[in-house]
Amino acid sequence: MANKKDYQAERKMPGGRQDKAKVYVDELYFRHVDQMERWRQEYERCQAVESTLALVSTLRYEEVDYASQLLRVPWKERTVPDFSHLLEKARIEEEGKYFAPIIIRSSLLLILLLILIFSSNAVVLWVSGTGVVTLLVLLGILIQKRHSMIEKVIKQKQIEIDTKVEYEQNLIKEEKEKHENAEEERIQGIERLLAGEIAAIYAKVDQALTTRPFPFHVSADISLYLNIPSVKIWLPPKSIIPTQVCALQTSGRPSFEEKEIRTINKQYFELCASISMRVMSVIYAHIPAFRTGYVYGMSKEGKNIECLFTSKLDRSTVEAACNSSNGLAAMQICKAKFNCDTTLALLPIEVTPPEEWGDVEPQLVHNLHVNLFQVEN
């Protein structure tokens, strides 16, 4: 008959309801932690998108100081390495080869001298005397050989050092020539840019714009005639603007609130204005030959190509506009032409070429396409 202790042991067996409940609680805990992490990542992603869009509205204008860049950078010649330590190293290595043979012969010579001094046997004296003479001759030959070999090795090493020094001197000479050629090419490029050469201007514009990329697709078509640029900026679609505001509740769950259509349109208008001002500020800051230019905010939705705003800009206006707090204020300073409805949705306007161009023939206008989008690695 089973006693009370047997029942207690049976209730505590592994795999019982207590273990199953513990596993269930653990699963619930890890699911909760995983859910909280997903919520956090979703909130941070939404905040990152808004921060990225807001960061575009940070405007600045800093003209490049080409006067200082025209100064030639002096060549700093490096010294030829000191290879004298190789001589001492070669001498020590060569001496080491003869260390053991000299010690062995010297030890044997000492032993034979002791036998010669303390022995009274005639045969032993004769043998030890002969051995002493023989070892003295061999030791002298070995020392002389060591001396001659050390001199030979040092001469060979000196020739090797002279070769190394000559190689380094030639290398330094090549480096100096390369530096001088690079400086000459750099200064000539700046001089061509300041002189208003088309190739130099377009090379600098392409380099300046591509080193300040946007985190979304933006490109520009730049046309140039009479040193008056016409810049068509192909703006991102309105879908780039988030339609919801994300907030994090005390429980850790993100909450989403739909934006008003007017808020979305205003944010898109601000983004487009900031993009155009950033592009034009970079162009004017790097190209001193430009005094007046035109910018067009272009939109391409499917097969529809529309111009959303346009503005005629001079250098002083761009500089003043970039001191504004945001792109909309900058566009107001630039007196941009645009049309919008009551919800601030931009309506298409007519594209008019620069008035200074007149009826210029298309083949006289130089064109450049720049992609300002760069994928992050």
Side-chain angles (χ1 to χ4, degrees), residues 54 57-59 270 274 320-330 333:
S57 296
T58 304
L59 304 176
E270 161 68 23
S274 300
C322 287
N323 292 324
S324 304
S325 58
N326 54 59
L328 288 179
I333 294 176

Side-chain angles (χ1 to χ4, degrees), residues 105-340:
R105 285 168 174 75
S106 299
S107 300
L108 292 175
L109 180 61
L110 180 61
I111 294 172
L112 291 177
L113 285 174
L114 292 175
I115 294 174
L116 185 63
I117 293 173
F118 296 103
S119 178
S120 58
N121 189 299
V123 176
V124 174
L125 290 174
W126 185 84
V127 173
S128 59
T130 305
V132 168
V133 174
T134 304
L135 285 174
L136 284 173
V137 173
L138 292 177
L139 187 60
I141 294 173
L142 184 61
I143 293 175
Q144 185 178 4
K145 181 180 179 182
R146 185 195 69 163
H147 180 71
S148 61
M149 288 303 297
I150 289 176
E151 288 185 348
K152 181 180 178 181
V153 168
I154 288 178
K155 288 180 180 179
Q156 292 176 349
K157 186 58 66 173
Q158 186 62 53
I159 295 174
E160 181 181 342
I161 290 175
D162 293 340
T163 304
K164 288 180 178 291
V165 170
E166 184 180 0
Y167 172 77
E168 290 293 332
Q169 289 175 343
N170 293 333
L171 187 61
I172 291 174
K173 184 178 179 181
E174 291 178 2
E175 292 173 354
K176 183 178 180 180
E177 291 179 355
K178 186 182 295 185
H179 171 81
E180 296 296 336
N181 293 335
E183 280 297 294
E184 186 66 26
E185 183 178 353
R186 182 183 66 84
I187 292 175
Q188 288 180 359
I190 295 175
E191 290 175 346
R192 289 194 298 268
L193 176 64
L194 297 178
E197 290 190 13
I198 301 298
I201 288 176
Y202 272 179
K204 175 56 70 173
V205 168
D206 184 72
Q207 182 267 334
L209 290 178
T210 52
T211 53
R212 295 186 183 179
F214 288 90
F216 40 78
H217 285 280
V218 177
S219 61
D221 288 328
I222 304 172
S223 301
L224 182 61
Y225 179 67
L226 299 177
N227 268 347
I228 299 176
S230 170
V231 183
K232 291 183 178 179
I233 301 175
W234 296 95
L235 302 167
K238 188 184 295 185
S239 59
I240 196 175
I241 304 296
T243 59
Q244 296 177 323
V245 177
C246 180
L248 200 62
Q249 300 178 358
T250 55
S251 62
R253 180 191 296 270
S255 62
F256 297 91
E257 181 181 354
E258 294 292 331
K259 292 182 181 178
E260 295 182 359
I261 187 64
R262 184 181 178 88
T263 302
I264 296 175
N265 291 338
K266 181 180 179 181
Q267 189 175 1
Y268 180 67
F269 192 4
E270 161 68 23
L271 178 66
C272 294
S274 300
I275 291 172
S276 63
M277 292 310 304
R278 288 189 65 177
V279 172
M280 295 305 294
S281 66
V282 171
I283 292 176
Y284 274 100
H286 287 80
I287 311 300
F290 292 167
R291 297 300 173 186
T292 303
Y294 292 78
V295 59
Y296 305 89
M298 306 299 295
S299 174
K300 185 176 182 180
E301 296 287 346
K303 296 182 179 180
N304 296 327
I305 297 177
E306 301 172 341
C307 178
L308 302 182
F309 57 84
T310 179
S311 178
K312 179 180 179 180
L313 304 173
D314 55 42
R315 184 176 298 273
S316 59
T317 303
V318 172
E319 185 175 1
C322 287
N323 292 324
S324 304
S325 58
N326 54 59
L328 288 179
M331 292 295 282
Q332 291 176 354
I333 294 176
C334 296
K335 298 180 180 180
K337 297 179 181 179
F338 60 91
N339 190 14
C340 60

